[in-house]
Structures are given as C-alpha cells and as structure tokens.
Amino acid sequence: MINRGIFLQIVVADFLERARTYAYFMTLLVTIIVSFLFIPSSEAYYGTVVISGYRGIYNSAWIGISMALSVNSFLSLVGFYLVKNTIDRDIQSKVGQIIGTSPLKKSKYMFGKFISNLLLLLSIVLISFFMSIFMQWIRGEENNIIIGDLFLSYFIFIIPVMFVIAALALLFEANNILRGKVGNGIYFLLWSLFLQYAFTIQIGPVQVSSLLSTEIIYNMITTDYKQLFPNSLLKVEDGIVSLDGPLKRFEWNGVNWNIGLIASRIPWLILSMLFIIFATCVFKGFDDVKVTSKILWNRRKKKEVSPANSWNSITELTSISPIQFKYSFFHHLYAEIILLLKGLSIWWYMIAGIIILASILAPVSVSREYLSVLSWLWPLFIWSSMGVREARYYTSNIIFSSPFPVSRQITLTWLAGVFIAIGTGIGYAIKLVIIGDVTGLFAWLIGCLYIPSLAFSLGIWTKTNKSFELIYLSIVFIGIFNNIRVFDFLGITEGTSKSVIPIVYLFITIMLLISTFYGRYLQTKS
C-alpha cells in the first residue's frame, strides 16, 4: 500500500513538475504552430504530403493521416529530448537520495518514470488531436468531421511511437554514459540513420511495420491514387515541399482498418516494455557510491595527518598573504571554453574532426546541404548549457558576486560559444573559401554569432537547456531540412546568402544579446 502511494505520487509529481516548465510550454506552442503548417491552405505554394502534384481533400481521413505522419516525425526527435531528464532531475535536486531510502522498489520507480514520460508526450499528442479537428473546420473543404477517422489515425499510428520514445528516453537515462551529452548525440544519429527508414518485416504470421509506419500509410494512399489516375507517373514527396502553384486535389476515402494493420503495431508496444525492463536492470539506483578499501585507507590516513586534529598546528598558524587581483582576458576566455567542453569524451572530438574533414573533402552540394547542418547540430548540447549552469550547479551566488558579473561574464561566455561554433563549422567555412563563395562565408559567420546568442538568451530567461534544444531542433527540422528560407540562418538554400536573410539574422542576434544582458542584470538584482 505504501509503495503504491509513493508510486502514484512520483508519477503525478513528476508529470506536474515538468508540465510547469517553459520547455513544455514552448513545445505546446510549437505543436500548435506546426499544426497550421502541416495542413496548408488551398492557395499555399507548399505541401506536406504530395502525390504527383495532388493532395487529398481535407476530410477527416486525410487530415488524420497527414497529422500522424508529421507528429510522428516531429515528436520522435523533439519528444525524446523533452522527456529525457526525469532521472537526472532527481539526481540534481537530491530527491533521488530520499527516494533511495524509501521502501519503493527500483522497478516501480522506473515504471513510474516511464508513465510520467508517456503522459507528457500524450498531452502534446492530445493538443495536436484537437488541432486536427480545428484545422478541418477552418479549412472548410469537408464539413463532416468524423472523429473515428481522426482518433484511429492517432491511436494506431502515433501512440506506439510515443510508447517507444518514452521507454527509450528512460533507457538512455538509466545508463551513466548515455545519460549525458554522448547519449544525446547517439540518439540523434540513431534517429537520423535508422528511425527514418520505412520498411515492413515479416515475423511469423505478423507483419511488423516500421516505427513511424510511413510505408504503410503511403502504400494505402498511392494504391487509391493509382486507381483514380492509372496513367499518371507516381511521385511521392513529404515534408515541406515547395511548389510552383497550389496543389490539385483528389478524394481519398481513408484507411482500411483491419486486424493485420493493428497487429503490425503491437510489437512496438512489446518492445517498449522490454526497454523498460532492460532500463531497470542497468539502472544502479541512487546509492551506487561504493566505498572501497582504498578509499577507506585514504580517509584514515588523511584524518591521521590532518593539521586540524593537532593542537600544535594551531600554534603554527601564520598570517595570510595579502590578496592580489590579477585578471587575464584570455585566461578567462580559455576557462569558459573549458567549462563548456567539460565532460566530453574523446569520441566527441573524433566525430567532430571527421565532420570537419568531410566538409572540406566532400562535393560542394554534400558539404552545403548535409555536413554544414550536421557540424552545427553536433555541439547542440554544449550550447544548451549556456545560461543555465549557474542554476544547475548552484553557483549563481558566486558568479553574481564576482567583478562585472554582467558585462564581463556574459561577453566571455558568449565568445566561448562563438568559438565552438567556429571550431565545429570551420570545415564548411574552408570549403566556402576554396570555392570563393564570399556571401556564403558572410552568412556562415552570422550563423556563428546567432546560435550561441539564441542559446544564451533562452538559457537565461527559461533557466533550462530544453528550451534551446527544442527550438533549435525545430528550426533545423522544420525549416532547414525542408528548405524554408526564412529559417535558414546557415545560408545554405539557393539564393539565401545573397538575400537580406543574413542581415535579418544579424539583427536578431543583436536583439538576443541585448535580452541576454538584460536577463542577467535582472538575475543579479534579484
């Protein structure tokens, strides 16, 4: 009975605490915004699901499937980083030590954390579901809203993905190595290289769809399309697809819901349960500090020779030397860079070096479209710590009482972030120099200033690294990967570097820096 009470309290308290954060609020806001983008108007010059220049009429079946495709792609990446902090927060807040002394079993603690992760993701999905109803109503192409079609699209295609993401986030947190920046980088590679692939495999009598079930959905749509337009050349495009004119429309009657389709999604639910069991096995709990015989011997030796235990030591006290103030700008900047890079393994540097080298040696198109983006995604979790370290490590009283806590500290921390942007992106910059792309180099330089400014400002105002991670990934995922020029702070899409967009981002950078200085000023006065 006691365990059950603690279990429910953990689930509810954990969910409510995370639901009150800025990161959660911003995710909901982004979800509402992208819901508008996912269902473009009939006059729009872009599409999200395009079949040979056509899209379905906005009935419940088409909107449900379109939202399922988009929400799965969006939350399988952003959702992971949103919920991957439930155990870490207990460690940082020391709540874990209290839980460790309670009668709550480790398995129940882990399952409670999984439920909390899942509830957080499902709450975002619920907002998206209501938005799908709203979007069908405001687009007005089909007034008959069939809740069953919308609900089944979400229930069959999205819910299993949320189970897997919630369990995977817990599994990564259960391991000491995967809990930090290394794990964040590994998941991004996992998502980029594997989760996006769509194929169905046969396991005995059951066909298992891919996690995002993209191939099943497109197969159903294209089958109906071929029946309507048998002589048309089939071409399937998704994401944010730029068009020369509005899309033509055809009526799609929806998914043929059957037992085989539902069964193809069940293995993912089973896999998520296995992830939870494995996470419980590898999680060491909160009392994993082992006192070895060597540690005990060192403690005893230290106690024996400690001058504090000797009366004679008191008589030998001498006056302390006068305080001398010495300050070096470059030593301070070096220390800030070291603080940002602290804790990274040799593998992080090796992969960063490979990206730099590949950016120089690869063809221009590959370097521009892929490696330039990757080079500035790789340090994502370094920048996201800017502005939140003081709160995270309880050093704000020390930092804010140091000389010039606003002007000097902010400037040098920001410069350290800029140096990391230059360092990881230097390969693409060299490529631009080689090909003589001066405007591209100018846009790249603006990007070097913009990214740490965005991270620093969001870190200071929201006091969490999640806000930058979510917004930055959303900008890259929705904007740059889909060639939307207004989001292209890198200047990699055709004609962007020669347009006014880099100047706009320079202005945004200045505004972000002003907000950063003002936010820190308010922190020092509070």
Side-chain angles (χ1 to χ4, degrees):
M1 182 65 71
I2 294 175
N3 280 352
R4 186 182 303 173
I6 297 175
F7 171 77
L8 292 176
Q9 288 174 12
I10 286 176
V11 173
V12 174
D14 196 65
F15 172 74
L16 292 178
E17 184 177 353
R18 289 195 282 179
R20 296 188 187 112
T21 61
Y22 283 104
Y24 178 75
F25 171 75
M26 289 184 179
T27 306
L28 291 181
L29 187 63
V30 171
T31 301
I32 293 172
I33 293 172
V34 297
S35 295
F36 279 98
L37 291 174
F38 291 159
I39 311 295
S41 69
S42 57
E43 293 82 19
Y45 280 61
Y46 76 94
T48 53
V49 180
V50 180
I51 312 295
S52 302
Y54 283 81
R55 66 163 172 84
I57 292 174
Y58 286 148
N59 54 24
S60 298
W62 184 266
I63 286 185
I65 287 298
S66 298
M67 293 293 281
L69 286 169
S70 304
V71 169
N72 274 347
S73 296
F74 178 66
L75 283 184
S76 62
L77 179 63
V78 175
F80 175 85
Y81 295 113
L82 176 69
V83 300
K84 183 180 164 288
N85 64 348
T86 180
I87 296 177
D88 185 56
R89 196 175 52 258
D90 284 348
I91 295 173
Q92 296 299 329
S93 64
K94 310 298 181 185
V95 173
Q97 295 178 354
I98 300 174
I99 295 174
T101 60
S102 73
L104 183 69
K105 293 182 178 179
K106 189 171 67 173
S107 58
K108 289 190 175 182
Y109 170 80
M110 295 296 283
F111 190 69
K113 290 297 183 182
F114 164 74
I115 295 294
S116 174
N117 283 353
L118 186 61
L119 287 176
L120 207 67
L121 292 172
L122 292 182
S123 65
I124 299 170
V125 172
L126 185 64
I127 295 296
S128 170
F129 176 76
F130 287 128
M131 282 301 300
S132 67
I133 299 174
F134 178 70
M135 291 306 297
Q136 183 176 347
W137 177 65
I138 65 168
R139 292 306 182 212
E141 295 184 5
E142 172 57 60
N143 295 326
N144 184 22
I145 299 176
I146 303 174
I147 297 297
D149 282 348
L150 292 170
F151 175 77
L152 285 174
S153 297
Y154 274 73
F155 187 76
I156 300 299
F157 295 121
I158 297 180
I159 299 300
V161 179
M162 298 304 108
F163 267 76
V164 172
I165 298 303
L168 260 180
L170 190 68
L171 177 58
F172 271 61
E173 274 207 277
N175 183 275
N176 290 335
I177 298 174
L178 298 179
R179 184 179 300 153
K181 297 172 182 176
V182 175
N184 292 333
I186 289 175
Y187 180 78
F188 183 77
L189 292 176
L190 178 69
W191 180 85
S192 304
L193 299 177
F194 298 105
L195 294 187
Q196 292 293 299
Y197 282 98
F199 54 87
T200 300
I201 59 175
Q202 186 79 32
I203 301 179
V206 179
Q207 282 190 332
V208 181
S209 68
S210 66
L211 177 61
L212 306 187
S213 61
T214 311
E215 80 284 4
I216 290 181
I217 294 173
Y218 280 124
N219 185 47
M220 291 185 293
I221 295 175
T222 54
T223 300
D224 291 348
Y225 175 83
K226 287 178 182 176
Q227 291 178 353
L228 291 172
F229 309 99
N231 298 322
S232 174
L233 183 64
L234 186 63
K235 182 181 180 183
V236 178
E237 299 172 280
D238 60 3
I240 306 296
V241 182
S242 298
L243 305 168
D244 297 328
L247 287 168
K248 293 175 281 188
R249 293 173 287 178
F250 72 100
E251 185 170 2
W252 186 60
N253 295 320
V255 180
N256 177 24
W257 305 107
N258 54 63
I259 297 298
L261 176 62
I262 297 171
S264 72
R265 308 295 291 157
I266 291 176
W268 292 108
L269 300 177
I270 298 172
L271 183 64
S272 66
M273 295 299 109
L274 294 178
F275 283 156
I276 298 169
I277 294 171
F278 187 57
T280 304
C281 294
V282 300
F283 182 53
K284 296 180 180 179
F286 300 103
D287 53 352
D288 58 342
V289 180
K290 297 178 180 178
V291 181
T292 62
S293 58
K294 184 178 180 181
I295 294 175
L296 288 173
W297 185 84
N298 288 334
R299 286 180 180 175
R300 191 179 300 115
K301 183 179 178 181
K302 185 178 180 180
K303 186 175 181 180
E304 289 172 355
V305 300
S306 174
N309 296 322
S310 171
W311 171 256
N312 293 332
S313 63
I314 298 177
T315 61
E316 293 172 359
L317 292 176
T318 59
S319 59
I320 61 175
S321 58
I323 299 174
Q324 295 181 351
F325 290 100
K326 291 183 179 180
Y327 179 75
S328 169
F329 176 86
F330 293 104
H331 286 172
H332 192 166
L333 178 60
Y334 175 73
E336 290 292 338
I337 295 174
I338 294 298
L339 278 175
L340 285 178
L341 298 176
K342 185 177 175 57
L344 296 177
S345 70
I346 187 66
W347 290 103
W348 187 93
Y349 295 99
M350 290 178 66
I351 293 174
I354 292 172
I355 295 172
I356 292 171
L357 190 61
S359 300
I360 299 172
L361 300 177
V364 176
S365 59
V366 176
S367 182
R368 187 191 303 275
E369 296 175 16
Y370 301 104
L371 295 173
S372 62
V373 182
L374 185 59
S375 68
W376 278 349
L377 279 175
W378 192 239
L380 168 68
F381 304 101
I382 297 175
W383 289 316
S384 67
S385 66
M386 296 173 67
V388 298
R389 287 178 303 179
E390 295 82 5
R392 185 180 182 87
Y393 300 110
Y394 308 103
T395 58
S396 54
N397 291 335
I398 299 173
I399 299 297
F400 297 165
S401 61
S402 65
F404 311 108
V406 178
S407 58
R408 179 187 294 173
Q409 195 69 38
I410 290 291
T411 303
L412 288 168
T413 305
W414 177 74
L415 281 176
V418 172
F419 269 93
I420 289 171
I422 293 174
T424 54
I426 192 67
Y428 177 59
I430 294 173
K431 192 72 176 181
L432 292 172
V433 171
I434 293 173
I435 63 176
D437 188 350
V438 178
T439 56
L441 191 63
F442 175 71
W444 174 85
L445 183 60
I446 299 297
C448 289
L449 306 178
Y450 166 73
I451 300 173
S453 304
L454 177 66
F456 212 171
S457 178
L458 288 173
I460 282 187
W461 284 101
T462 66
K463 297 179 182 178
T464 171
N465 54 346
K466 296 294 179 186
S467 54
F468 171 72
E469 292 168 5
L470 291 172
I471 290 178
Y472 187 69
L473 284 174
S474 300
I475 291 173
V476 173
F477 178 70
I478 297 172
I480 295 179
F481 281 173
N482 291 290
N483 297 323
I484 301 178
R485 290 177 60 182
V486 70
F487 292 119
D488 184 14
F489 61 87
L490 287 166
I492 59 174
T493 55
E494 187 68 29
T496 301
S497 61
K498 297 178 181 177
S499 68
V500 73
I501 289 178
I503 301 299
V504 172
Y505 272 98
L506 179 60
F507 176 75
I508 294 173
T509 299
I510 294 171
M511 293 296 103
L512 288 171
L513 280 175
I514 292 173
S515 73
T516 304
F517 277 101
Y518 183 63
R520 176 54 57 87
Y521 170 77
L522 293 179
Q523 287 179 339
T524 59
K525 297 299 180 183
S526 61

